Amino acid sequence: MSKLSIVGIGPGDYDNMTVRADRVLRECDTIIGYTVYVDLVKERYPGKEFRSTPMTREVDRCRMALDAAREGKQVAMVCSGDSGIYGMAALIYELRGESAQPAVEVVPGLTAACSGAALLGAPLTHDFAVISLSDYLTPWDKIEARLEAAATSDLTVVLYNPVSRTRPQHLKQACEILLRRLPADRLCGVVRNIGREGESARLLTLAALRDDTEVDMFSTVFVGNAQTRVIGGKLVTPRGYRDV
């Protein structure tokens, strides 16, 4: 039976890809995805059929993958990070509907919250929220409400899609929303190009983050909670094991 596997490839380097993801990509006939993500795996999996679509063509991409699988091919749809966290897994299920064909499996991957946190230290040891600042699919007022709720709840916050060419002020606006509830010296971290050339990680305060001009669409931002501190140059959020 043909199958469509939605594969999270992690941040883009082979070291951070799961064994299961690698096996699926080796065994499939066709690899489909956003052009940038397909390019990340092309060299490692020669001899495959590669198909891609540009950004904002997610529906076309998923339909292409479903059609290829219905033709009898073993298809892998690649997603950066995890296939179910801001990935294509939900859309594939939506488009397939109640049909049982083709068979679908979701292959998880290492999302930026995990891989970025590892670069910074251990900022996610306690409860945290992941919020995308892209208002392409989510209205900004809903994003603002989620930021307010996360700050009020004293959650560590991970911000995906912090800025882009079309929304350069979103991170600044998000910081201003968080500063309504959080102190200006709240510890934050920024990671960039996780698992790729130019990988970097740095620490700063929430006030400094608001005015930062070095964050871009390849960055993931972390805002600590009230317990977050710097230990040995690393951003750490204790869970409280030592206090028990």
Side-chain angles (χ1 to χ4, degrees), residues 1-3 29 67-74:
M1 182 184 295
S2 61
K3 180 188 292 184
D29 304 311
D67 289 345
R70 289 180 181 125
E71 292 167 4
K73 297 179 178 180
Q74 301 298 323

Side-chain angles (χ1 to χ4, degrees), residues 19-94:
V19 173
R20 181 180 173 193
D22 177 58
R23 174 176 55 78
V24 169
L25 292 177
R26 290 184 185 281
E27 293 176 355
C28 73
D29 304 311
T30 303
I31 295 176
I32 296 174
Y34 170 45
T35 306
V36 173
Y37 305 153
V38 169
D39 288 345
L40 288 173
V41 301
K42 232 176 202 179
E43 185 176 344
R44 183 163 290 277
Y45 303 99
K48 308 294 182 183
E49 176 189 16
F50 294 98
R51 303 185 193 177
S52 64
T53 65
M55 192 177 292
T56 75
R57 295 282 298 279
E58 291 84 2
V59 172
D60 291 344
R61 191 183 313 149
C62 289
R63 284 181 173 147
M64 181 191 302
L66 287 164
D67 289 345
R70 289 180 181 125
E71 292 167 4
K73 297 179 178 180
Q74 301 298 323
V75 180
M77 161 76 75
V78 291
C79 305
S80 179
D82 177 80
S83 49
I85 300 176
Y86 303 117
M88 294 293 101
L91 181 54
I92 288 288
Y93 281 118
E94 287 182 272

Side-chain angles (χ1 to χ4, degrees), residues 133 159-165 167-172 175 189-192 200 202 204 208-222:
L133 297 187
L159 301 177
Y160 281 41
N161 306 309
V163 297
S164 72
R165 288 184 294 273
R167 43 182 182 80
Q169 296 300 311
H170 276 197
L171 179 59
K172 182 180 181 67
C175 289
V190 177
V191 293
R192 186 176 183 276
S200 64
R202 55 195 175 91
L204 67 173
L209 179 65
R210 176 189 55 195
D211 301 322
D212 196 288
T213 59
E214 297 181 29
V215 176
D216 59 20
M217 62 189 299
F218 301 106
S219 303
T220 306
V221 174
F222 294 73

Side-chain angles (χ1 to χ4, degrees), residues 119-121 203 229-236:
L119 287 175
L120 290 169
L203 308 183
R229 59 182 187 266
V230 177
I231 302 176
K234 295 294 185 178
L235 196 64
V236 177

